[in-house]
Amino acid sequence: MLIVLLSVFVLAFLILFSGKFILPKYFKVFTVFPLLLFTYFSYYLINLQWEPELLLKYNWIPTLGINLDFKIDGLSVLFAMMITGIGSLIYFYSSNYLKKVAYLNRFYGYLTLFMGAMLGLVLSDNLITLFIFWELTSISSFFLIGFNNEEESSRKSAMTAFAITGLGGFLLLSGFLILGNLGGSYSITELLNSKELIQNHGIYILLITLIFGGAFTKSAQFPFHFWLPGAMAAPTPVSAYLHSATMVKAGIYVLARFTPLLSDGCYWNQTLMIVGGITMIYGAFHSVFRTDLKAILAYSTISALGIIVFLLGIGTEYAIYAAVTFIVVHALYKAALFLTAGIIDHGVHTRNITQISGLGKYMPLVGIAAVIAALSSAGVPLMFGFISKDLIYESTLNFAQWGIGLTALAVATNVFLVCSGFLAGIKPFIGKPSHEASAVHRPSFYLWFPVVVLSVLTLIFGMLPFFVDQGILKYAFDSISIVETNLYLKLWHGFNLVLGLSVLTIVLGTLLFFANQYFNSISNTLNKLNSISPENISQRLGESFRNFAFIYTRLLHNGYLRNYLIVIIVFITLLVGYRFFSTIPIQVITEDLSGFRIYELTVFIIILISIFYILFTTSRLTAIASLGIIGYGISLIFVFYGAPDLAMTQFAIDTLTVVLFVLVLFKLPSFLPFRNKKIIFRDAVISLSFGGLIMLIALQSLMYPASKEISRFYADNAYTLAKGKNVVNVILVDFRGFDTLIESIVLSIAALGVYGILKYRGINEKAD
């Protein structure tokens, strides 16, 4: 498994850095890769009937409990097969849809990286590795959404999506760390044994709040939903992939994965029901008032995600089975409708449904496939969506407390979704043609084939549900509920209330579809309410933070080095001084102080004279030379007290500093006379305060016994554990290896920044 996942990331980077040498027509070959992955995970699907759960463990950082553990069960295989199966069609579709794009290698590199991140996320059995893949999905989706980076809308949408999901990632990491601490392990499988301990802990509510924050932001739950319609700036294949089987389903996966552990029948379930219920009706309502095909599909996606969260919140046997079924139903019809929207945009160069009609005459096969997908989204009999809608109504009707109210909410949501599905999948293909035949670019095989495959699967699974029922759906249900079920999908349940509700939904949704042209006034009213929408509120909050940052920067980061030093020194003096004087009893030292030896006193006097020269000289060279003398004096003190390695380091640094200062400052004019007594007095007070505090700390430290445990540990273990005789080097490279690594990364980033600035300047000079 580890080799398979690594191969995805290796391929992504190979495409990214060498893809520019590949002709666009050869990118079709990369479709084979996700198809092979789909075949690979199909083997695990077959294996689930003998081994319902398989754990693959690979050590990574075992001392911290962070390992590359992968869990193969019904839920992970379901998502893995959706990611790779629909991914294969997306690769195939993109090879023609984006064939004229200048940076096709970047697109395929980002797409492959995203696919690998999603696979790692759904397969991980370790909280930390799951989070790492979670963040990789945010980063790679940022590149995909902002792929058309020359357009401001793409850049803004990518930044918005990254900011919202990044905030959620921070919350999710916090929740995972708390969860791992409470359960004593980062293994998700092992945590299932600590269910009662975790749920009875006083911090349980905070824990689930943090996990909700991560899941809701990623899966576009209200009020974090607004990033998803903005992500429509991405190329259509990206939209189809992110909204059907991957990005937005990541939060759903996390909620489903942790339902067996955190579901308590109260806080967890009721929160999911409330948030999911609000999201599903909000998204469905807004979807019918949009005119852009991708916007319609985006808001209906928000609603569909809300439905899944809502069902997980209900938590009954019917509800979980309905949620699992609807995950597959939504992936099939939503991918088909998104790809259809891309074909329409590619064919007539517009996605505005008020300007499109009669395209079924020019692309009949696409029209038939789109109609099937739309009928499935509406829950029409013989479609896979019909079966999932029946399960949804069974779930709400059988909910003891608020069955009628929840059913009414589900019916209202589905009525709007029927209308939006018809708007996206049927309206563009019926009626009088809006374009002349010569103005329509008919789709190639690479464009219409994926749509047909998805629609055919929707029809097959609807008419013959046993293909997925007793296989993948049952296994996924078992993973979430931890108990087996006797439920099974069937096309006909007889004449009952559920069937009546399904018929009512279709009738009302169809009437709403035909009445949609009269909704202009409602649409205008909704536009007036944009000022109080979550998106606008978040934008105003963002502006407030930006204004605060501007004021903060003007005060503390105004570009003057002396001000930076003043702020740092004053802050340290106040903070350390408060702690020092409030907690440590001041003692007067009357003994145990050794006297100055003559050579120590001589060096000390030389240092004082050098400081005097720096303060009062009018020559830069004299100040630099004095600074060097101070450094050499400190080096001698290090030697006197048995620290030759520090002395050598200090000597080298001071020598280099003096040389650089002389080279840089030699040709500058002389010091300007400075006679501002207020500033001189301020600097003197700050300097004396800081120096006096350090002196007091040093003197008081002599009154307390020194602890040698840490230094003794390093001395005893430097050679045995790290095979190094130089203790300082071993500390830097091994015991504090991460610290040194991060410092190296910072220096590398700074070097890249300097290189970029110099290169940019060189380009501008050539242009001039």
Side-chain angles (χ1 to χ4, degrees):
M1 180 62 70
L2 184 60
I3 295 175
V4 171
L5 280 178
L6 288 176
S7 68
V8 180
F9 292 107
V10 170
L11 179 63
F13 285 102
L14 287 176
I15 295 173
L16 192 60
F17 293 109
S18 63
K20 61 182 179 180
F21 302 108
I22 305 174
L23 295 176
K25 63 181 180 180
Y26 294 125
F27 277 98
K28 297 179 177 65
V29 177
F30 291 114
T31 304
V32 176
F33 185 68
L35 197 58
L36 290 174
L37 291 176
F38 179 79
T39 305
Y40 174 76
F41 288 110
S42 298
Y43 159 75
Y44 282 110
L45 172 61
I46 297 172
N47 191 60
L48 287 176
Q49 59 184 314
W50 297 289
E51 198 166 11
E53 182 177 292
L54 176 64
L55 292 178
L56 305 174
K57 295 179 176 291
Y58 304 92
N59 287 338
W60 186 20
I61 315 177
T63 55
L64 298 179
I66 302 173
N67 295 307
L68 292 169
D69 297 340
F70 302 105
K71 185 174 186 176
I72 309 297
D73 65 354
L75 187 63
S76 60
V77 171
L78 169 65
F79 276 87
M81 294 187 70
M82 287 198 305
I83 293 164
T84 54
I86 293 180
S88 302
L89 299 176
I90 297 298
Y91 274 68
F92 191 73
Y93 182 95
S94 302
S95 65
N96 186 269
Y97 187 84
L98 299 172
K99 62 181 179 181
K100 295 182 180 179
V101 171
Y103 300 105
L104 195 57
N105 63 302
R106 293 184 186 177
F107 175 82
Y108 272 93
Y110 299 154
L111 191 65
T112 306
L113 178 64
F114 178 76
M115 181 177 68
M118 278 300 306
L119 286 174
L121 190 157
V122 301
L123 293 168
S124 292
D125 189 55
N126 187 279
L127 294 176
I128 305 303
T129 53
L130 189 155
F131 170 75
I132 291 172
F133 288 119
W134 176 281
E135 287 300 286
L136 276 177
T137 63
S138 296
I139 294 169
S140 51
S141 65
F142 168 79
F143 291 130
L144 288 170
I145 295 171
F147 182 73
N148 299 318
N149 52 52
E150 295 181 356
E151 300 176 7
E152 183 180 356
S153 60
S154 294
R155 297 195 299 270
K156 181 179 179 182
S157 297
M159 288 297 295
T160 301
F162 188 69
I164 297 298
T165 56
L167 172 64
F170 171 75
L171 298 176
L172 188 71
L173 175 61
S174 303
F176 280 176
L177 292 176
I178 293 174
L179 182 59
N181 184 57
L182 293 182
S185 172
Y186 289 127
S187 170
I188 299 174
T189 300
E190 292 179 10
L191 286 172
L192 290 175
N193 299 323
S194 306
K195 179 177 180 178
E196 292 185 4
L197 173 66
I198 292 171
Q199 292 189 8
N200 293 329
H201 200 280
I203 207 172
Y204 169 72
I205 295 178
L206 174 62
L207 167 64
I208 63 172
T209 300
L210 293 171
I211 292 178
F212 284 152
F216 291 165
T217 51
K218 186 79 93 174
S219 287
Q221 297 299 292
F222 185 91
F224 307 108
H225 64 280
F226 55 86
W227 70 264
L228 193 146
M232 294 301 98
T236 297
V238 173
S239 301
Y241 199 33
L242 265 63
H243 291 197
S244 62
T246 54
M247 175 75 166
V248 296
K249 294 285 177 66
I252 298 296
Y253 170 81
V254 166
L255 293 175
R257 175 60 76 194
F258 288 99
T259 288
L261 175 63
L262 300 177
S263 177
D264 61 345
C266 183
Y267 298 109
W268 175 274
N269 295 80
Q270 291 182 13
T271 302
L272 292 181
M273 288 174 61
I274 293 170
V275 174
I278 294 173
T279 303
M280 71 185 196
I281 190 64
Y282 180 91
F285 177 75
H286 278 267
S287 67
V288 302
F289 298 104
R290 307 293 157 174
T291 56
D292 183 281
L293 278 172
K294 290 177 72 173
I296 294 171
L297 295 174
Y299 276 98
S300 63
T301 297
I302 293 172
S303 179
L305 296 170
I307 290 174
I308 300 172
V309 172
F310 174 73
L311 292 170
L312 290 174
I314 292 176
T316 61
E317 185 180 18
Y318 268 109
I320 293 178
Y321 213 88
V324 170
T325 305
F326 189 65
I327 287 172
V328 180
V329 170
H330 175 258
L332 293 175
Y333 79 69
K334 189 54 60 73
L337 291 176
F338 261 115
L339 296 180
T340 300
I343 291 173
I344 293 172
D345 191 17
H346 187 263
V348 296
H349 306 293
T350 181
R351 299 195 302 261
N352 192 324
I353 59 173
T354 62
Q355 302 173 10
I356 306 170
S357 62
L359 294 183
K361 179 179 179 181
Y362 308 122
M363 44 185 80
L365 201 56
V366 174
I368 294 171
V371 168
I372 292 174
L375 294 177
S376 181
S377 72
V380 173
L382 301 183
M383 305 296 162
F384 200 20
F386 170 73
I387 297 174
S388 70
K389 187 173 64 177
D390 274 8
L391 285 173
I392 293 172
Y393 291 157
E394 288 278 5
S395 304
T396 56
L397 286 171
N398 292 327
F399 195 75
Q401 293 174 299
W402 311 305
I404 297 176
L406 296 181
T407 303
L409 181 65
V411 170
T413 299
N414 281 316
V415 167
F416 289 122
L417 289 180
V418 169
C419 177
S420 63
F422 287 175
L423 289 173
I426 296 179
K427 189 178 186 303
F429 298 97
I430 61 174
K432 182 180 179 181
S434 57
H435 295 74
E436 297 293 334
S438 58
V440 178
H441 186 275
R442 289 175 171 80
S444 68
F445 170 75
Y446 292 96
L447 296 184
W448 62 256
F449 179 73
V451 181
V452 170
V453 169
L454 292 166
S455 297
V456 168
L457 288 176
T458 295
L459 193 58
I460 291 175
F461 293 161
M463 298 176 66
L464 304 169
F466 60 84
F467 277 129
V468 290
D469 178 28
Q470 295 303 307
I472 187 61
L473 296 184
K474 180 181 180 298
Y475 299 140
F477 172 89
D478 293 342
S479 300
I480 299 174
S481 65
I482 314 293
V483 295
E484 294 187 0
T485 178
N486 294 321
L487 293 178
Y488 61 93
L489 302 182
K490 55 183 179 180
L491 185 60
W492 179 251
H493 292 263
F495 292 99
N496 52 25
L497 180 57
V498 171
L499 179 62
L501 291 174
S502 295
V503 173
L504 178 64
T505 301
I506 296 169
V507 171
L508 294 178
T510 304
L511 293 175
L512 192 63
F513 168 68
F514 286 112
N516 182 260
Q517 57 184 319
Y518 305 108
F519 287 173
N520 290 333
S521 59
I522 300 177
S523 182
N524 293 333
T525 303
L526 290 176
N527 291 332
K528 294 178 181 178
L529 297 175
N530 278 339
S531 59
I532 59 173
S533 66
E535 181 177 8
N536 277 281
I537 292 173
S538 69
Q539 288 177 352
R540 289 197 293 271
L541 287 174
E543 288 294 328
S544 300
F545 279 115
R546 188 178 291 111
N547 293 335
F548 169 76
F550 178 77
I551 296 171
Y552 172 84
T553 303
R554 289 288 299 272
L555 289 175
L556 302 179
H557 298 278
N558 51 17
Y560 293 98
L561 179 59
R562 61 177 178 269
N563 288 347
Y564 295 163
L565 293 175
I566 288 172
V567 170
I568 293 171
I569 293 173
V570 169
F571 178 78
I572 292 175
T573 303
L574 293 176
L575 183 64
V576 177
Y578 169 77
R579 183 68 177 172
F580 179 77
F581 289 108
S582 63
T583 60
I584 298 177
I586 306 299
Q587 303 180 43
V588 178
I589 301 176
T590 58
E591 54 185 16
D592 295 334
L593 287 180
S594 60
F596 273 117
R597 288 167 287 190
I598 185 64
Y599 51 86
E600 295 173 351
L601 181 61
T602 303
V603 172
F604 180 69
I605 292 173
I606 292 173
I607 291 174
L608 289 179
I609 294 172
S610 300
I611 293 172
F612 177 83
Y613 267 96
I614 291 175
L615 292 175
F616 295 101
T617 185
T618 58
S619 169
R620 280 195 177 88
L621 289 178
T622 302
I624 294 170
S626 300
L627 187 66
I629 291 172
I630 293 172
Y632 295 151
I634 294 173
S635 297
L636 288 173
I637 292 175
F638 286 149
V639 172
F640 296 157
Y641 287 92
D645 51 345
L646 291 179
M648 293 173 62
T649 304
Q650 181 74 26
F651 182 82
I653 290 174
D654 272 286
T655 302
L656 183 61
T657 302
V658 170
V659 172
L660 290 176
F661 274 8
V662 170
L663 291 175
V664 172
L665 303 178
F666 179 70
K667 295 185 178 180
L668 292 179
S670 302
F671 279 147
L672 294 175
F674 190 72
R675 295 291 183 268
N676 191 321
K677 294 183 179 180
K678 292 182 179 179
I679 294 180
I680 293 175
F681 178 76
R682 179 200 66 187
D683 294 345
V685 171
I686 293 173
S687 301
L688 290 172
S689 300
F690 182 70
L693 178 64
I694 298 300
M695 179 189 70
L696 287 174
I697 292 174
L699 291 175
Q700 292 301 310
S701 65
L702 296 174
M703 303 298 295
Y704 295 90
S707 174
K708 301 290 185 179
E709 292 182 8
I710 296 177
S711 57
R712 193 178 299 114
F713 170 83
Y714 287 135
D716 294 341
N717 294 282
Y719 186 76
T720 57
L721 295 181
K723 310 304 179 186
K725 295 181 179 179
N726 188 314
V727 179
V728 175
N729 290 348
V730 169
I731 291 172
L732 293 175
V733 176
D734 292 280
F735 292 113
R736 291 179 54 198
F738 280 113
D739 186 20
T740 306
L741 175 64
I742 293 172
E743 289 175 357
S744 303
I745 292 172
V746 170
L747 290 174
S748 302
I749 293 172
L752 290 173
V754 172
Y755 172 76
I757 293 172
L758 293 175
K759 185 176 180 182
Y760 179 76
R761 182 179 178 183
I763 293 173
N764 286 346
E765 289 176 352
K766 289 180 181 180
D768 294 339

